Amino acid sequence: MFFTYLRRELRRRRKAALVVASGLALGIALVIVVSSVTSGMGKAQDKVLQSLYGLGTDMTVTKAAAAQEEGQAQRPRFRFDAQDSDSDEEQSSDRVMVQGFETLSSSTVSKVGAQDGVSDAVGGLSLQVIKVSGQFTRGQFQQDGGGEQPGGGTGQPEGRVQGGGADFDVNNYSVYGTDVSKPELGPLTSSKITSGRTFKASETNAKVVVADASYAKEKKLALGDTVTIKGVKYEVIGIATPESGDAAANLYIPLKQAQTLSDSADKVTTIYVKATDSQRIDAVKSAIQKNISGTTVTTSADLAETVSGSLSTASDLATSVGKWLSVVVLAAAFLVAGLLTSSAVSRRVREFGTLKALGWRSGRVTRQVVGEAVVNGLVGGALGIGLGLAGAYVVTAVSPTLQAELGAAGGGMTGGGPGGFGGGPAREAASRTLDVALTAPVSVTTIALAVGLAVTGGLIAGAFGGWRASRLRPADALRRVE
């Protein structure tokens, strides 16, 4: 009887039911789109941060370089020998310098790894290589002429030197020494090997190199080619493509090789740390800073505070304005649905009075009204889910590009080690910009939320109408003439 009457009433009042369902559908669709876009923003930010510190890295440990007084800064010096031969030979000179932070002893890696709450820790060495190569060209003496001096002597020839000079090219690139014994942690984990292979655990001191894809394309490097760094030849065994943003370094070599090239035996610039539990990251950070003096510990949360640009702005809008807009629209939809249902009850006073006269109790009348409202809510929920999914699909299909500007934020975050929080050796500027494509993934939780909102909207609307219907008296209802 309940469902039969329900079906007939909804069919008889199709327009009113559609208006209520449409209002709820718009509110629910907006909630789905905003929730999906917010989720996409979060994933985009995670992707940006992952491209900086590497997959699995919870924090980095560094030591800020000591401030140098004016005139004390060490600059690279290049020396070229004079050539006495007639041939113009090319000369070159490499300078390999530690970049970013002050070096830490390799023993510090073990100290960090021994801290409570630390699952694993590895060290890395950030280097900058400046190579100057070119040649000197001998000038040609052009004689203007000579003359006899008084007394019969011969004068010195007069003239000038033309041509000659020096033509040198400067090649500046970054190299990162990575601990090949623990490939699951460190800067190279933020890139995917798209050609060749990564390092083997046995290649701790091998003369092999993994090149960033962009750098390999620029220098026309292929698998099996050799790269010369400070006179040492390294074989290219793999090409790495960063998952997002730019690469941590142009070239990756085993840590021991990097230490040898830079005369930094048993030294690292960055320590990558993985915590045993993500809930203990703050406690681990405090423990490291307390027990290992002079170090700076930076977590992903610290780096997230430095992300600005359109990605950050859009994320703030989606989180604050978007959510509040969803709440306002949803509240308005619930209110309109309740008012429309209550208004519909007022137009059915004679009907409910007749049903009460026939023996329907107030509770049964109330349940009938609430049932109709819940069905309207479910219909609105179905429409809202459809509209929300369509909106999320449009956002994902269009994939608008947002920019994430990453700036230094103190704590030794300027020019950090590759994969370290704040940039790598290829990131000399204090800030840089990454382009991120926005998506709007719809989760099962979002769909469940939409269904819950639909039922809630129906119950709220039914509560308005049911309350009015339960207060009707049969005698008053039957006296009303419509």
Side-chain angles (χ1 to χ4, degrees):
M1 180 66 179
F2 173 81
F3 292 103
T4 301
Y5 191 81
L6 177 66
R7 184 176 65 255
R8 290 176 178 175
E9 288 302 314
L10 291 175
R11 183 181 301 170
R12 189 158 60 95
R13 295 179 173 82
R14 290 191 297 269
K15 292 183 179 180
L18 185 59
V19 170
V20 174
S22 299
L24 292 174
L26 291 176
I28 292 171
L30 183 59
V31 171
I32 292 177
V33 172
V34 171
S35 298
S36 301
V37 170
T38 302
S39 177
M41 297 289 182
K43 290 187 175 181
Q45 286 185 326
D46 291 342
K47 196 173 184 180
V48 170
L49 299 183
Q50 178 184 320
S51 71
L52 295 176
Y53 58 78
L55 185 65
T57 304
D58 292 318
M59 64 192 77
T60 57
V61 179
T62 56
K63 185 176 182 180
Q68 293 181 332
E69 297 181 1
E70 186 177 355
Q72 290 184 342
Q74 295 183 355
R75 297 181 179 180
R77 299 177 62 87
F78 299 88
R79 180 175 179 177
F80 299 94
D81 296 330
Q83 301 291 337
D84 294 330
S85 62
D86 293 334
S87 61
D88 297 324
E89 298 180 1
E90 181 174 302
Q91 300 186 63
S92 66
S93 179
D94 289 8
R95 288 295 179 268
V96 180
M97 302 173 295
V98 175
Q99 184 203 12
F101 300 109
E102 187 174 336
T103 57
L104 296 165
S105 173
S106 296
S107 61
T108 309
V109 180
S110 301
K111 292 180 181 179
V112 172
Q115 299 298 310
D116 186 32
V118 174
S119 172
D120 204 355
V122 298
L125 185 62
S126 171
L127 303 177
Q128 193 75 14
V129 180
I130 302 177
K131 181 176 183 178
V132 178
S133 58
Q135 59 185 11
F136 294 99
T137 303
R138 188 185 302 275
Q140 301 295 326
F141 180 78
Q142 300 293 332
Q143 183 174 348
D144 291 338
E148 295 184 355
Q149 299 294 329
T154 303
Q156 295 294 330
E158 298 180 358
R160 61 184 181 274
V161 178
Q162 292 183 338
D167 183 14
F168 282 81
D169 178 60
V170 179
N171 184 18
N172 185 10
Y173 59 96
S174 56
V175 177
Y176 193 74
T178 182
D179 190 340
V180 300
S181 64
K182 297 181 179 179
E184 69 282 354
L185 189 61
L188 198 52
T189 58
S190 63
S191 298
K192 181 180 180 181
I193 301 297
T194 51
S195 181
R197 63 175 178 86
T198 187
F199 300 106
K200 297 179 180 178
S202 59
E203 295 176 326
T204 55
N205 200 25
K207 293 180 176 60
V208 290
V209 62
V210 172
D212 169 62
S214 298
Y215 186 76
K217 182 178 180 180
E218 176 187 349
K219 300 300 180 181
K220 299 181 180 180
L221 297 176
L223 296 180
D225 289 349
T226 58
V227 176
T228 302
I229 306 174
K230 201 176 180 181
V232 181
K233 293 185 177 181
Y234 294 85
E235 180 186 357
V236 178
I237 61 171
I239 306 296
T241 303
E243 296 287 348
S244 174
D246 59 0
N250 298 133
L251 301 173
Y252 302 88
I253 62 176
L255 178 58
K256 286 188 177 180
Q257 283 292 317
Q259 292 170 338
T260 301
L261 287 176
S262 59
D263 297 324
S264 305
D266 296 325
K267 298 291 183 179
V268 297
T269 52
T270 307
I271 302 174
Y272 300 89
V273 183
K274 182 178 182 180
T276 56
D277 187 349
S278 60
Q279 302 299 321
R280 301 186 61 186
I281 291 178
D282 290 338
V284 173
K285 174 181 177 179
S286 300
I288 294 174
Q289 289 179 325
K290 178 181 178 181
N291 299 328
I292 305 176
S293 60
T295 59
T296 299
V297 183
T298 310
T299 67
S300 57
D302 298 327
L303 181 60
E305 296 177 356
T306 71
V307 178
S308 59
S310 59
L311 174 61
S312 178
T313 303
S315 180
D316 292 340
L317 287 174
T319 302
S320 55
V321 179
K323 287 188 176 181
W324 278 112
L325 179 63
S326 299
V327 171
V328 171
V329 172
L330 199 60
F334 286 176
L335 181 60
V336 170
L339 292 176
L340 289 176
T341 303
S342 179
S343 176
V345 170
S346 66
R347 293 194 299 269
R348 299 166 63 186
V349 170
R350 188 175 182 84
E351 173 190 339
F352 290 136
T354 303
L355 291 175
K356 281 194 170 185
L358 294 175
W360 279 40
R361 296 182 179 276
S362 297
R364 185 173 180 182
V365 174
T366 301
R367 287 194 298 273
Q368 192 69 45
V369 174
V370 172
E372 294 175 13
V374 170
V375 171
N376 288 335
L378 291 176
V379 173
L383 293 175
I385 291 174
L387 290 174
L389 291 176
Y393 174 78
V394 170
V395 173
T396 303
V398 174
S399 295
T401 300
L402 299 177
Q403 289 185 337
E405 185 175 331
L406 306 167
M413 293 181 69
T414 302
F421 301 96
R427 302 160 184 170
E428 297 180 352
S431 64
R432 55 195 185 81
T433 301
L434 300 178
D435 292 332
V436 183
L438 176 64
T439 60
V442 181
S443 63
V444 177
T445 304
T446 304
I447 299 297
L449 175 63
V451 174
L453 291 175
V455 175
T456 302
L459 290 174
I460 292 175
F464 273 90
W467 175 74
R468 292 201 60 184
S470 65
R471 298 185 63 190
L472 292 175
R473 291 186 301 172
D476 295 337
L478 292 174
R479 282 200 301 268
R480 177 169 178 173
V481 178
E482 296 183 356

